[in-house]
Amino acid sequence: MALIITDECINCDVCEPECPNGAISQGDEIYVIDPNLCTECVGHFDEPQCVEVCPVDCIPKDPDHVETKEELMEKYNRIING
Ligand code: SF4
Ligand code: SF4
């Protein structure tokens, strides 16, 4: 499933450049993840890179965007094939 950034985000900006899908951007108040682009890093890395670097641990899974590993891989393929 896609991940989501909670309001505990401190706008430190370290996650944005780490996302292999360009899914993270600065929102109105905090950073946001585009669920259409977040594959949980499936296809690129074994672990979600944003979670690895976030200093305040504010990037849980988004229960509103539940997806299987297979669906995440299909999303990855859609993204890389444009
Ligand atoms: Fe980007 Fe991976 Fe974080 Fe999803 S889990 S937002 S693809 S870095
Ligand atoms: Fe916010 Fe965490 Fe990203 Fe920093 S790494 S901008 S605290 S979500």
Side-chain angles (χ1 to χ4, degrees):
M1 65 188 95
L3 305 190
I4 189 167
I5 294 173
T6 73
D7 61 10
E8 290 167 68
C9 172
I10 57 171
N11 290 313
C12 73
D13 190 38
V14 302
C15 58
E16 191 269 334
E18 298 299 326
C19 180
N21 293 325
I24 302 174
S25 61
Q26 191 159 22
D28 288 340
E29 293 182 0
I30 55 173
Y31 277 73
V32 293
I33 293 174
D34 182 344
N36 294 315
L37 293 177
C38 176
T39 63
E40 241 183 277
C41 285
V42 166
H44 292 283
F45 300 102
D46 289 340
E47 299 293 334
Q49 298 298 291
C50 54
V51 175
E52 297 270 294
V53 298
C54 180
V56 295
D57 200 17
C58 70
I59 317 180
K61 293 185 175 183
D62 182 356
D64 289 336
H65 291 96
V66 177
E67 292 156 298
T68 64
K69 190 137 188 168
E70 288 70 32
E71 287 170 323
L72 291 169
M73 188 55 88
E74 284 171 24
K75 193 194 292 187
Y76 163 78
N77 284 319
R78 276 202 306 275
I79 293 168
I80 61 163
N81 291 323

